[in-house]
Amino acid sequence: MKHLTILIPAYNEEDVLPALLERLERVIAFIPKYTFDYLFVNDGSTDRTLEVLKELSHQYDKIRYIDLSRNFGKETAMLAGFDYAKGDAVVVLDADLQQPPEFIHEMIHWWEKGYDDVYAVRATREGESRLKEWTSKTYYKLIQKMTADKVYPLAGDFRLLDRKCIEALKQLRENERYTKGMYGWIGFRKKEMTYHADSRAAGETKWKWSSLFKLAVDGLTSYSTVPLKIWSYIGIVISFMSFVFLAYEIGKTLLYGTDVAGYPTLLAAILFLGGIQLISLGVMGEYLGRVFIETKGRPPYFIREQSEEPVMSEKPIELDRKKDTLDDVD
Ligand code: UDP
Ligand code: MG
């Protein structure tokens, strides 16, 4: 019998957990051909998420959890989940029930047909501001223009991943993670399905505009090197324009003489160029920052505790990255 892990990153989700489990149980009751476990990654919640999970695990024996040592963010929490997931396939699900678990059924259907990555694309999103929707649409359009890799806009983390994909994703151990880009990058056979996103069942979204901005920048800088290269083109265009302008000014002075005028143009030119230079420096800083963080080679997360009995009898996968590199040196 094949085993499926439902991977649920959870950060301050105490309110929604009982409803989530009830709904999951109902869905899974209709899928008798598989065994399941619910792997919660408690991402350093400051509320009673972990306690609630422990209480609920008396009622639902499918619950397993790992408790991260602090809040690492959803991207890293998912990596932790991939590391510990046992299933022949893993379904990544948000805790807040915005993604209807009923779709797991259809995902399994396509998985059985031989697809490795069945991802759900959201058609609408209830209870979300127009502005947020527009921003995310424009952002994905922009990102697609800047990279040769195929980007799957609106495809979130709600997806079923075959063991092959999980093993691939486990090898991508960047600290600054942008998992949405990784799904595309690893390849494998993909299948798209549409769903309607609901509004949160309880609690509040953890994304602030500032963290969305950070994710957007992370996305761009980990996807594409266009922002790094574009400045040489802009520089060429601006230099050419100022050269033409200079020639024109010289000609004009030779023909008509000069007065002290031109001060505003000068100032404008200096400020404009100054701005461009600062932006390009900032862009390089973004990339350099990423290089710096990655060269430290820190493990992406730490685990404080985990559920006593893993659902399957084997031991959880140990993270042995240090050892691997040492062996390579010998
Ligand atoms: N999440 C997490 N760590 C964080 C922020 C969020 O594990 O630092 C989890 C959260 O518990 C939820 C999922 O990621 O299960 C999506 O978060 P949220 O619903 O707040 O994001 P949104 O749906 O608004 O994009
Ligand atoms: Mg949500």
Side-chain angles (χ1 to χ4, degrees):
M1 215 192 234
K2 281 192 175 167
H3 185 81
L4 263 87
T5 298
I6 313 252
L7 166 60
I8 305 156
Y11 175 54
N12 293 349
E13 302 283 8
E14 57 175 1
D15 295 333
V16 75
L17 291 178
L20 170 71
L21 282 158
E22 229 169 77
R23 183 113 166 244
L24 272 175
E25 284 287 302
R26 240 183 298 145
V27 168
I28 275 160
F30 288 98
I31 316 177
K33 276 200 330 207
Y34 298 91
T35 51
F36 286 88
D37 71 314
Y38 313 136
L39 174 58
F40 286 89
V41 181
N42 178 32
D43 187 17
S45 301
T46 50
D47 66 356
R48 294 187 63 254
T49 298
L50 186 65
E51 285 75 17
V52 173
L53 271 177
K54 285 179 183 168
E55 284 160 21
L56 284 167
S57 63
H58 299 304
Q59 192 181 339
Y60 303 100
D61 59 352
K62 296 191 188 72
I63 292 183
R64 294 173 59 220
Y65 57 82
I66 45 183
D67 181 34
L68 301 187
S69 61
R70 65 170 170 87
N71 177 246
F72 283 92
K74 184 188 175 189
E75 305 288 317
T76 303
M78 283 195 297
L79 174 67
F82 295 151
D83 286 338
Y84 282 78
K86 291 289 187 356
D88 298 302
V90 175
V91 176
V92 186
L93 185 73
D94 280 0
D96 58 13
L97 284 174
Q98 271 182 306
Q99 306 157 336
E102 286 73 24
F103 277 90
I104 295 174
H105 217 106
E106 197 181 332
M107 287 176 168
I108 293 177
H109 167 79
W110 292 113
W111 179 46
E112 279 174 342
K113 289 251 156 93
Y115 290 99
D116 302 311
D117 178 1
V118 186
Y119 61 95
V121 173
R122 53 164 208 266
T124 50
R125 204 155 169 174
E126 311 261 322
E128 193 135 276
S129 72
R130 275 278 168 80
L131 183 64
K132 196 173 169 189
E133 212 180 298
W134 177 84
T135 326
S136 91
K137 237 184 223 161
T138 320
Y139 170 68
Y140 283 112
K141 259 191 217 152
L142 187 75
I143 231 179
Q144 180 66 85
K145 286 233 162 70
M146 287 166 110
T147 170
D149 299 349
K150 176 126 178 55
V151 184
Y152 300 87
L154 301 180
D157 296 309
F158 182 30
R159 55 180 70 219
L160 180 147
L161 295 154
D162 186 80
R163 172 78 7 217
K164 287 188 272 251
C165 300
I166 297 295
E167 291 305 323
L169 288 168
K170 275 160 70 174
Q171 291 176 47
L172 308 186
R173 304 201 74 81
E174 286 108 296
N175 280 283
E176 300 277 292
R177 301 183 71 75
Y178 187 69
T179 320
K180 282 193 184 79
M182 295 175 178
Y183 298 129
W185 190 84
I186 58 168
F188 296 103
R189 297 190 62 201
K190 298 194 186 297
K191 173 75 194 166
E192 182 173 307
M193 15 175 299
T194 318
Y195 77 104
H196 293 266
D198 299 324
S199 40
R200 269 186 157 271
E204 265 173 21
T205 174
K206 310 303 174 312
W207 294 109
K208 292 177 239 94
W209 276 102
S210 58
S211 55
L212 275 181
F213 183 73
K214 184 179 177 296
L215 192 73
V217 173
D218 280 356
L220 271 184
T221 47
S222 60
Y223 246 125
S224 128
T225 49
V226 171
L228 208 52
K229 293 176 195 153
I230 198 171
W231 299 104
S232 33
Y233 298 105
I234 292 182
I236 289 169
V237 171
I238 289 179
S239 318
F240 179 73
M241 276 174 4
S242 32
F243 179 76
V244 173
F245 182 66
L246 190 72
Y248 164 78
E249 283 293 321
I250 290 176
K252 204 175 80 177
T253 313
L254 286 179
L255 287 179
Y256 305 108
T258 181
D259 45 3
V260 209
Y263 178 66
T265 6
L266 191 68
L267 196 66
I270 291 175
L271 286 179
F272 178 63
L273 272 180
I276 296 273
Q277 280 167 348
L278 282 181
I279 294 173
S280 61
L281 270 179
V283 168
M284 281 184 227
E286 277 294 329
Y287 282 91
L288 192 64
R290 299 179 72 83
V291 171
F292 171 64
I293 286 169
E294 298 304 339
T295 48
K296 286 197 274 193
R298 291 188 176 170
Y301 61 87
F302 289 110
I303 284 181
R304 187 162 50 196
E305 71 173 272
Q306 53 177 300
S307 45
E308 281 152 36
E309 47 157 330
V311 156
M312 304 195 50
S313 48
E314 333 148 27
K315 266 183 13 194
I317 304 148
E318 295 290 337
L319 286 179
D320 235 349
R321 192 181 179 211
K322 273 268 163 51
K323 193 168 153 278
D324 287 350
T325 34
L326 285 182
D327 285 351
D328 289 348
V329 172
D330 288 346

